[in-house]
Amino acid sequence: MSINKNISQSKKDKKNILKEIFQDSAEVDYSTFINFALYNKNYGFYSNKKRMMLADFITSPLTHKSFGIMVAKQIIQMWDYYKNPKHFSIIELGGSTGKLKDDIVSYIKKYNRKFYRCLIYLNIDEANNDSLLNVDFNSKYGCIISNEFFDALPFDRFQKKGGDLKEIFIKKGKENNLKEVLKDTDKTNILEKKFIRKIPEKSRIEITNNLKIICRKLSTFLDHCIMLTIDYGFEDLDYLLINNPNGLVRCFEGHNMDKDVLINIGNKDITCDVNFFFLDQYLESAGFKKLGFCLQEKFLQNMGIANYFNSTKNPIEKQQIVSLMNPDGLGGFKVYFHELGTENFEPQGLN
Ligand SMILES: C[S@@+](CC[C@H](N)C(=O)[O-])C[C@H]1O[C@@H](n2cnc3c(N)ncnc32)[C@H](O)[C@@H]1O
């Protein structure tokens, strides 16, 4: 994702923001801070209307509609796999303003009227005032899809110090300056002690907040479900053993990428590589089974994007489709499949 406008923050704005973040405590953990910086109704990046009008996001659905069309084709295969049930729910996580939804539904409406009449579509997005953990929905058949949802979840941060992983908290000083402090924590229990020992001294890692609870919640929506997750990140935990004093955080503001979460609060996006190892573990403990994964480039190829590309005459559109495939950009994203309920699905996108 990238954003192409830069909005600076006045001292007064900063003071008001910090007052709210630290209203209950002089210190907060990173996930509390990031949750505020991204999703606070008045100041959060995703709620800030002024910024939203000026900002320019680039994600796959926004790059070109062929992305949504390929996902739609994959979903049609799921509906066929379940033997064309009368009701099929597509639950999209973090679908923002609904671009992916529009592309998927338009394609299905045009090319599969029978399926279209069976569709229920839920776009659950925090920025639209939806609270995922409070969504009360259950149906028999369907899928859960997401693009760049898990990388946008607030995370906590940890640093190796004196042989142990300490949690990093943020403390507000008298002059509204922010300082990091390290504290003992039990939030790293998911990692084995012998693994923690191998993390280089001073290196930082991030752990998504609430991921286990979110995965458990996802398992309650549908009795039979394929989950299609598209995001950037890593699956091999050894990735955390690379000496990384700044961790895997990325902030996007204007054309710039930086790693400083603590400045210009609310005016920049804050994301982090998805730890697919943890995601997979939590999904499995919630009853999902991993079917496999591939790169977005391969997924789109498998779904037939070449035919779409060849049938398109417009050179700009052709360029947009190419950027969906770029292995150094969106094409390098991971496409994961999980299944709940039956465990026999063979996704076309993987084969
Ligand atoms: C990086 S944006 C991706 C938007 C869209 N999927 C796309 O690809 O263009 C992440 C989206 O996830 C949403 N989000 C983050 N945390 C969420 C949560 N706990 N529940 C629902 N939506 C959430 C954000 O509001 C935001 O719209």
Side-chain angles (χ1 to χ4, degrees), residues 1 39 46 59-62 92-96 124-127 130 132 147-149 151-154 214 269:
M1 170 194 281
Y39 303 112
Y46 283 103
T59 60
S60 293
L62 300 178
E92 185 182 354
L93 309 175
S96 187
I124 304 171
D125 196 297
E126 184 99 0
D130 306 324
L132 175 61
N147 184 69
E148 291 207 55
F149 164 73
D151 73 40
L153 294 175
I214 289 172
D269 193 18

Side-chain angles (χ1 to χ4, degrees), residues 68-165:
I69 292 173
M70 298 305 129
V71 174
K73 287 171 74 175
Q74 180 60 86
I75 294 174
I76 291 173
Q77 193 209 352
M78 296 174 192
W79 185 61
D80 287 339
Y81 165 68
Y82 287 130
K83 304 201 170 25
N84 311 123
K86 271 200 185 120
H87 301 290
F88 184 93
S89 308
I90 302 176
I91 299 176
E92 185 182 354
L93 309 175
S96 187
T97 52
K99 175 69 169 73
L100 181 59
K101 173 185 171 182
D102 290 346
D103 292 336
I104 290 173
V105 173
S106 305
Y107 180 83
I108 295 174
K109 187 176 180 186
K110 191 164 174 192
Y111 293 102
N112 199 327
R113 292 296 287 197
K114 198 172 160 219
F115 182 28
Y116 175 70
R117 284 193 285 272
C118 304
L119 267 190
I120 299 158
Y121 203 116
L122 245 70
N123 172 11
I124 304 171
D125 196 297
E126 184 99 0
N128 303 336
N129 291 325
D130 306 324
S131 169
L132 175 61
L133 295 180
N134 293 327
V135 172
D136 188 12
F137 179 84
N138 182 258
S139 189
K140 198 159 182 194
Y141 296 105
C143 63
I144 297 174
I145 62 170
S146 65
N147 184 69
E148 291 207 55
F149 164 73
F150 289 99
D151 73 40
L153 294 175
F155 49 84
D156 288 307
R157 303 187 77 188
F158 306 86
Q159 183 161 27
K160 184 83 175 281
K161 191 177 177 219
D164 210 0
L165 261 186

Side-chain angles (χ1 to χ4, degrees), residues 88-273:
F88 184 93
S89 308
I90 302 176
I91 299 176
E92 185 182 354
L93 309 175
S96 187
T97 52
K99 175 69 169 73
L100 181 59
K101 173 185 171 182
D102 290 346
D103 292 336
I104 290 173
V105 173
S106 305
Y107 180 83
I108 295 174
K109 187 176 180 186
K110 191 164 174 192
Y111 293 102
N112 199 327
R113 292 296 287 197
K114 198 172 160 219
F115 182 28
Y116 175 70
R117 284 193 285 272
C118 304
L119 267 190
I120 299 158
Y121 203 116
L122 245 70
N123 172 11
I124 304 171
D125 196 297
E126 184 99 0
N128 303 336
N129 291 325
D130 306 324
S131 169
L132 175 61
L133 295 180
N134 293 327
V135 172
D136 188 12
F137 179 84
N138 182 258
S139 189
K140 198 159 182 194
Y141 296 105
C143 63
I144 297 174
I145 62 170
S146 65
N147 184 69
E148 291 207 55
F149 164 73
F150 289 99
D151 73 40
L153 294 175
F155 49 84
D156 288 307
R157 303 187 77 188
F158 306 86
Q159 183 161 27
K160 184 83 175 281
K161 191 177 177 219
D164 210 0
L165 261 186
K166 307 277 185 193
E167 179 164 2
I168 309 170
F169 282 74
I170 303 156
K171 189 173 181 161
K172 183 166 80 82
K174 280 201 184 97
E175 302 296 319
N176 278 331
N177 58 319
L178 299 179
K179 198 175 117 188
E180 290 184 338
V181 286
L182 298 186
K183 291 184 159 190
D184 289 338
T185 182
D186 57 11
K187 290 184 194 166
T188 53
N189 285 351
I190 183 169
L191 294 167
E192 287 180 28
K193 286 249 173 324
K194 66 174 190 244
F195 182 83
I196 292 179
R197 273 198 290 276
K198 287 196 264 175
I199 296 176
E201 191 68 8
K202 291 194 179 152
S203 200
R204 289 186 173 206
I205 70 163
E206 293 78 21
I207 298 180
T208 305
N209 182 248
N210 259 351
L211 192 57
K212 191 173 186 175
I213 296 170
I214 289 172
C215 291
R216 227 184 284 139
K217 181 70 187 178
L218 297 180
S219 71
T220 64
F221 291 147
L222 297 156
D223 302 342
H224 301 271
C225 160
I226 311 292
M227 187 166 162
L228 168 57
T229 307
I230 305 175
D231 223 313
Y232 73 95
F234 60 96
E235 50 287 321
D236 184 350
L237 265 197
D238 283 357
Y239 195 60
L240 298 178
L241 301 180
I242 299 167
N243 189 5
N244 201 341
N246 286 316
L248 299 169
V249 175
R250 295 177 212 186
C251 303
F252 291 96
E253 188 192 359
H255 287 290
N256 304 318
M257 202 268 286
D258 70 79
K259 286 181 166 273
D260 197 343
V261 176
L262 303 184
I263 57 162
N264 224 355
I265 307 155
N267 282 329
K268 54 184 179 183
D269 193 18
I270 303 167
T271 81
C272 179
D273 288 47

